[in-house]
Amino acid sequence: MKKSHIYIGLSIFILTVLVIFFFNSNVRIDKTIISEYKGKQVETQVVAKKTTANQTVVKKTTTTAVTAKKVTTTTAKQTTTSDKSKEVLVKVGMAKLSPAKTVVKLNKTDVSITKSKMYKLQLIGGTIKSVATSNAKVAVVYRNGLVKAVNKGACFIYVKGTNNIVYRCKVTVTVPSLNSKKMTITVGDTYDLNLSGTDKSRSWSVRNTSIATVKNTGVVVGRKAGKTKVYCECEGINYTCDVTVVHSLNDFKGKKLSILGDSISTFDMYIPTTYKAFYPYGDVLYSDDTWWGLLCQSTGMKLLKNCSWSRSSVTGNSLAEDGYPGCSTSRIDNLASKGVNPEVIICYIGINDFIKCAPIGDWIYDEREVTDSTNVKFFDEAYALMLKKIHEKYPKAEVICCTLSPIASSAIIPRSHINRAGISLERYNNVIENVARIYGDTVLDVNGCGFNNDNFHKYYADGATHPNLAGMKVIRNKMVKELDKVYN
């Protein structure tokens, strides 16, 4: 095979038919020259022509098929009506074609690269002689064609081949980013996280899937109140979004509520028959007049069980069968009703510990576990034991702890915010806040509802401790405001 020619396929058959006429000139072959590709079949026919005084009759007689099979020269026979044969010379050849020219080009003429990442430009069919960039602040290029993305923007990379032709590639440097680095969603709601600035594949994950989950499309779903992080990994880089999941007040609608409280939360016929009630009293004549009745109206919650006991405290005998102390197992067990567990538990108890001067204690969660005792006398240990039992008994319940509102000065409490032992109400409230947060519970600052010595007569039915209808509404409004702040 000559260098200047290559055989690349099958050429056109050249079938040259050489006809040797018989002595009967009226009999002939219909094709004298036939061309066809190898593998194809060509038919030839013998034509008999007869002329009379009035007409000429042409009649096709026998047919012979000629098939070209390989490059060669041969003969084929065509039989006539005279029963004689004529030889047909068949030539099959291949055309000589000029060799195709080599195409030199870049493997990419337009490429997008993430900042700090690299891409290799290659000169297909040629060899790189030199390279250059139009903007080194956006991207640089090395002699072997390796391009490194430096900063967001666009530039051109020029590659010169050994053929002295310059080829150009547009380079766009992107800086991927999430559409949100911090977000707050409510339980059950979704948020679409997107990683823009790149078309590379990415994967999604969440640090704490009990608080939020994320789909492979970046859709984040709030599961329960709390904080976590969502990660998007792309090209070995993690992009992070801080996620806070909160409740919407609408989420409380229809949920079953149980209350663990003292006299402020009691109402006759709504607490266990062995417990003592303070209300109805004054103008708080109906259950809907209580702070919890008003709260249910505002949030749509349904009262499941009210385990409030007048004059009860958190401290005391945690093994007491009557359930008087708030930390007692019996009191905690009573929060359920006929085998149905509460979905929300509000603990609004502790004012009697303040009045009775229960010592605060020095309980540290990480150093000492709280246990049952016939005399859990320290307020911090008793409150921690109460929450511990609630979470063990009702692990799916939302637990809400309320700080204590001040009471009027009296012979028992000379000053509304300090008891006879010299312990301030603030310290008891600090215990409630700290212990609740240790257990991951929500705290409502009822202490900040605005009651003081100047308005106790306006909001307290007995002028000292127990709110009237107006006071109940103040407490309800404060709780709703706190809930809205915490969950929205």
Side-chain angles (χ1 to χ4, degrees), residues 168-275:
R168 187 179 75 170
C169 175
K170 181 181 178 181
V171 174
T172 303
V173 177
T174 62
V175 181
S177 63
L178 290 172
N179 57 330
S180 180
K181 294 183 178 180
K182 178 186 285 188
M183 66 176 177
T184 299
I185 59 175
T186 57
V187 174
D189 281 350
T190 62
Y191 186 91
D192 291 342
L193 270 182
N194 296 308
L195 183 67
S196 60
T198 180
D199 58 357
K200 303 297 183 181
S201 61
R202 72 287 310 269
S203 61
W204 300 88
S205 60
V206 183
R207 173 182 289 179
N208 189 338
T209 55
S210 68
I211 293 175
T213 56
V214 62
K215 300 179 181 179
N216 56 11
T217 56
V219 177
V220 180
V221 183
R223 296 301 180 188
K224 75 172 186 178
K227 294 184 178 182
T228 187
K229 293 181 182 293
V230 173
Y231 302 104
C232 179
E233 191 276 330
C234 181
E235 295 187 283
I237 301 175
N238 270 321
Y239 303 88
T240 306
C241 177
D242 293 321
V243 178
T244 300
V245 181
V246 299
H247 278 296
S248 166
L249 288 183
N250 292 330
D251 293 335
F252 288 105
K253 186 175 182 179
K255 288 195 172 181
K256 297 179 283 292
L257 168 67
S258 288
I259 300 166
L260 199 162
D262 46 39
S263 57
I264 296 175
S265 304
T266 61
F267 199 90
D268 195 22
M269 304 299 291
Y270 282 83
I271 61 175
T273 55
T274 57
Y275 291 12

Side-chain angles (χ1 to χ4, degrees), residues 428-448:
Y428 288 88
N429 283 331
N430 287 340
V431 168
I432 293 173
E433 292 174 355
N434 293 334
V435 175
R437 290 194 174 102
I438 286 173
Y439 283 93
D441 298 329
T442 300
V443 177
L444 301 185
D445 184 23
V446 180
N447 178 259

Side-chain angles (χ1 to χ4, degrees), residues 352-363:
N352 290 307
D353 295 275
F354 169 70
I355 293 173
K356 296 173 184 178
C357 302
I360 294 295
D362 58 355
W363 175 75

Side-chain angles (χ1 to χ4, degrees), residues 7-62:
Y7 289 94
I8 62 172
L10 181 65
S11 66
I12 301 174
F13 290 109
I14 302 174
L15 303 177
T16 304
V17 181
L18 302 178
V19 181
I20 304 174
F21 289 96
F22 286 94
F23 59 87
N24 185 356
S25 59
N26 288 330
V27 179
R28 63 182 177 80
I29 297 176
D30 67 333
K31 294 184 179 70
T32 58
I33 299 177
I34 302 171
S35 298
E36 190 55 84
Y37 290 104
K38 177 183 177 182
K40 297 293 183 178
Q41 194 176 77
V42 182
E43 292 183 348
T44 61
Q45 290 181 318
V46 173
V47 179
K49 183 177 180 180
K50 182 178 181 181
T51 303
T52 63
N54 299 322
Q55 62 180 348
T56 299
V57 178
V58 178
K59 182 179 180 182
K60 294 182 180 181
T61 57
T62 58

